[in-house]
Amino acid sequence: MTSQMDEDLFEMANFSPVHAAKECRQKIANLKRGYRAQLRHCVAEAYGVAYGMARDNDAWCAFVKEGFWKKRKKRPRANRQNKILLHVMVYVFDATSKNAYDRAWKYATALEKYFNEGVKPGKIEKIIEETGGLEALLRSAQEARKLAKKKALFADESYFDLGKSTSDAKTDAGFDQDEDQDGEPVKQEQPPDRKGKNLLRFSAPRS
């Protein structure tokens, strides 16, 4: 069923196709702006759900028992609340496919900083808008993660002290010898040889 505006556009296309194309282009741009505004609102609401759930253990325990989670291999646990924001985004966006999960992950990652800082839900929609949108927030969050990881790796100057073994350097930098900053297994370096020469090597950047 077409509206009067649609009929006017069809009529316009008969005698002025270029003008009609511009009008159609503008309509699509308006739709995109409306979609982005609605998306900001929905993501902010999902943030609010996670915010409340993080403060209500009974609600969290009920949430993890929802039938939706049977569709997911990785399910939330009642005794682990470290990824509440991500799990809520996965749930509200019905992320049962890889693409849908990636989208939910992006939204959660973009707002993770504010969630960890306890920023109230009522401020989130405005934050998203004023900082350039969800994609801009995501880029900022990813850059902050990389910077934090780099700072942790080089936090202690002893990391560069070739008189120490690799395990000592990792310990000084605050790492477990078997895990990196993100909790991922790391390949162990060889200890110094008998002559006291440390085998830690730094590869030169390629030209």
Side-chain angles (χ1 to χ4, degrees), residues 56-151:
D56 187 338
N57 189 62
D58 290 340
W60 171 250
C61 291
F63 178 69
V64 302
K65 294 177 181 178
E66 283 288 310
F68 166 80
W69 299 112
K70 295 179 180 179
K71 304 175 187 178
R72 296 278 312 162
K73 290 183 179 179
K74 293 184 178 180
R75 305 171 186 176
R77 300 178 183 178
N79 61 344
R80 295 187 65 179
Q81 300 184 13
N82 59 321
K83 294 184 179 180
I84 289 182
L85 183 59
L86 174 59
H87 289 309
V88 169
M89 290 295 177
V90 167
Y91 180 87
V92 300
F93 285 97
D94 198 27
T96 56
S97 67
K98 184 181 183 303
N99 287 340
Y101 177 83
D102 289 345
R103 182 175 62 169
W105 178 88
K106 288 178 181 179
Y107 297 155
T109 301
L111 298 176
E112 184 179 42
K113 169 181 179 289
Y114 303 99
F115 189 77
N116 291 340
E117 291 176 356
V119 175
K120 293 185 177 180
K123 299 180 179 180
I124 294 301
E125 189 170 356
K126 187 175 181 181
I127 288 173
I128 296 172
E129 185 177 5
E130 291 182 346
T131 52
L134 289 163
E135 289 295 330
L137 279 174
L138 175 63
R139 288 192 296 271
S140 178
Q142 289 175 321
E143 289 172 3
R145 283 186 174 190
K146 290 179 182 179
L147 181 61
K149 187 172 184 179
K150 185 180 293 186
K151 285 183 176 179

Side-chain angles (χ1 to χ4, degrees), residues 161-180:
D161 184 359
L162 299 185
K164 288 188 176 184
S165 68
T166 307
S167 59
D168 289 337
K170 286 183 179 179
T171 301
D172 289 340
F175 290 95
D176 186 276
Q177 294 183 22
D178 298 321
E179 295 181 347
D180 66 9

